[in-house]
Amino acid sequence: MLEGIVRDSITKPAVKALRKEGYLIANIYGKGVENISAAFKRNEYIKYLKNKKTLSFDVKVDGKVLNVVVKEYQKCPITSDLLHVDLMVAQKGVRSSYFIPVVVTGTAKGLKNKGLLMIHTRKIPVKCAIENLPNNITLDVTNLDTGDNILLRDLTLPESVDCYLDPRVPIVGVIKAK
């Protein structure tokens, strides 16, 4: 379980001091939950997120264990270091917006015909309760030839998971290389 500390001060000098000590600044929020200004050790946070198996994970802040989902993060434009992360509390039975990652498997047959595999949408926005949230959407692209696409309407989402994107949005496709 990932453990963090509560930030006492949210001023700029206090944030700079925490970053200098190796902390990652975080905000934890949710429906009906008081916002928590927290900080996690940057290296521990990155290691933990690389090894997690589900979209939601547990964090311990100020003696409370919260089930959270990464909502947004900010990186330094020059060094690509992780600077800030927003974590949303995933409450059972409450429908919220999430982003499900797209995982592509197989080798498209259009690649042999001088095609190029394009992943148009890496994360699909959905609205559902945390119990019904799939960890990822796996797409098999072995039958895609040059000019073929997998559209959003071709996906089969679980029963209580809603996606509000246009059904004609391409997820994965093979284009002809020039």
Side-chain angles (χ1 to χ4, degrees):
M1 180 182 308
L2 189 62
E3 292 191 30
I5 60 170
V6 174
R7 293 186 291 146
D8 298 330
S9 176
I10 56 172
T11 62
K12 202 168 190 175
V15 169
K16 281 187 176 184
L18 280 173
R19 284 194 180 129
K20 203 172 221 177
E21 292 175 20
Y23 280 96
L24 172 67
I25 306 304
N27 288 333
I28 302 173
Y29 58 89
K31 187 174 184 177
V33 177
E34 188 176 331
N35 293 352
I36 301 171
S37 297
F40 300 98
K41 284 287 192 183
R42 180 181 289 120
N43 292 339
E44 289 176 15
Y45 179 84
I46 293 170
K47 249 187 243 178
Y48 187 81
L49 251 60
K50 283 185 179 179
N51 296 328
K52 72 181 179 71
K53 302 284 187 238
T54 61
L55 287 177
S56 65
F57 57 97
D58 290 335
V59 294
K60 186 176 184 180
V61 177
D62 197 29
K64 298 180 199 169
V65 177
L66 301 168
N67 188 18
V68 296
V69 175
V70 175
K71 195 67 171 171
E72 193 175 339
Y73 60 88
Q74 295 172 355
K75 285 186 169 185
C76 176
I78 298 168
T79 62
S80 292
D81 286 342
L82 197 57
L83 296 176
H84 178 85
V85 66
D86 284 342
L87 302 173
M88 185 177 72
V89 176
Q91 300 167 342
K92 293 187 186 261
V94 177
R95 288 177 55 89
S96 296
S97 298
Y98 301 103
F99 288 96
I100 302 174
V102 174
V103 177
V104 177
T105 60
T107 304
K109 65 181 176 183
L111 297 179
K112 295 174 186 163
N113 300 332
K114 297 184 180 178
L116 190 66
L117 183 69
M118 294 290 296
I119 301 174
H120 301 288
T121 307
R122 295 202 177 271
K123 292 186 176 186
I124 297 174
V126 297
K127 192 165 191 170
C128 66
I130 191 67
E131 308 89 54
N132 305 323
L133 183 68
N135 290 327
N136 58 37
I137 294 176
T138 306
L139 299 176
D140 185 20
V141 296
T142 52
N143 295 328
L144 289 182
D145 203 356
T146 307
D148 292 345
N149 287 312
I150 296 177
L151 304 177
L152 187 63
R153 67 176 167 230
D154 300 332
L155 300 180
T156 53
L157 294 173
E159 201 174 289
S160 57
V161 177
D162 299 324
C163 181
Y164 296 108
L165 285 179
D166 186 1
R168 299 172 293 179
V169 171
I171 308 297
V172 178
V174 178
I175 62 170
K176 189 172 183 175
K178 293 182 181 179

